[in-house]
Amino acid sequence: MTRYRDREEAGTEYYYIIENPADHAIGTVRIYDFQGPSFVWGSWIIKRGSPLLVAISSALRVYDFAFYDLGFTQAHLEVRRKNRTAFAFHRRFGAEITHSDDLDHFLRITRESYETVRPRYARAIGAETPDRWPVSQP
């Protein structure tokens, strides 16, 4: 965790704890691998049994932070072929396959494609711009 904090202070990575409305930690997510206009997000772990809205709201917060606060214009993602749930989730958020190999699908989502789907997912969690996201820095 100390090395994560060092990378965050250097502006090369951000690590978050996902919380429920009662401020209980129920997951993690990280933004990292900054390459010019692009970033990766991952280390996305959500406690089993958490509502689907936690996944949606944490993804919205990640994209909003990376696109609007950090100024990135796209995300590059690597998803294991066997992880069909994660693959489908990213595709619903507008990710396109750039290429695949035997192990992984490589995806890209642009800010523009995100902005196309964002209103639908923001409505799903109950607000266009939520006052309090269930994601906070440690």
Side-chain angles (χ1 to χ4, degrees):
M1 290 305 292
T2 301
R3 288 190 294 226
Y4 281 128
R5 179 67 71 184
D6 292 343
R7 290 190 295 268
E8 182 173 329
E9 287 177 9
T12 60
E13 180 173 303
Y14 297 90
Y15 187 84
Y16 292 90
I17 303 300
I18 301 168
E19 297 178 337
N20 66 12
D23 294 330
H24 294 114
I26 57 172
T28 61
V29 67
R30 180 170 65 120
I31 302 172
Y32 61 104
D33 193 24
F34 303 162
Q35 296 181 18
S38 189
F39 70 97
V40 169
W41 68 282
S43 305
W44 191 31
I45 302 168
I46 298 173
K47 183 178 178 182
R48 188 179 311 272
S50 296
L52 176 60
L53 295 181
V54 172
I56 294 169
S57 62
S58 61
L60 284 169
R61 182 61 188 114
V62 164
Y63 283 122
D64 281 358
F65 179 65
F67 289 141
Y68 306 127
D69 295 330
L70 298 179
F72 289 104
T73 59
Q74 67 181 16
H76 56 280
L77 307 166
E78 184 177 326
V79 179
R80 295 277 189 233
R81 283 179 172 265
K82 289 184 180 181
N83 192 345
R84 292 185 177 111
T85 303
F87 177 73
F89 185 90
H90 290 300
R91 294 283 288 162
R92 283 191 300 272
F93 260 83
E96 299 174 347
I97 301 171
T98 60
H99 62 286
S100 300
D101 63 21
D102 291 341
L103 190 59
D104 297 309
H105 290 298
F106 298 87
L107 309 169
R108 177 181 60 129
I109 182 167
T110 64
R111 180 176 168 167
E112 292 80 17
S113 62
Y114 169 68
E115 288 173 343
T116 300
V117 300
R118 186 191 188 285
R120 176 173 31 129
Y121 288 110
R123 281 191 302 276
I125 64 168
E128 187 61 32
T129 306
D131 293 331
R132 185 183 184 303
W133 294 96
V135 177
S136 64
Q137 287 184 294

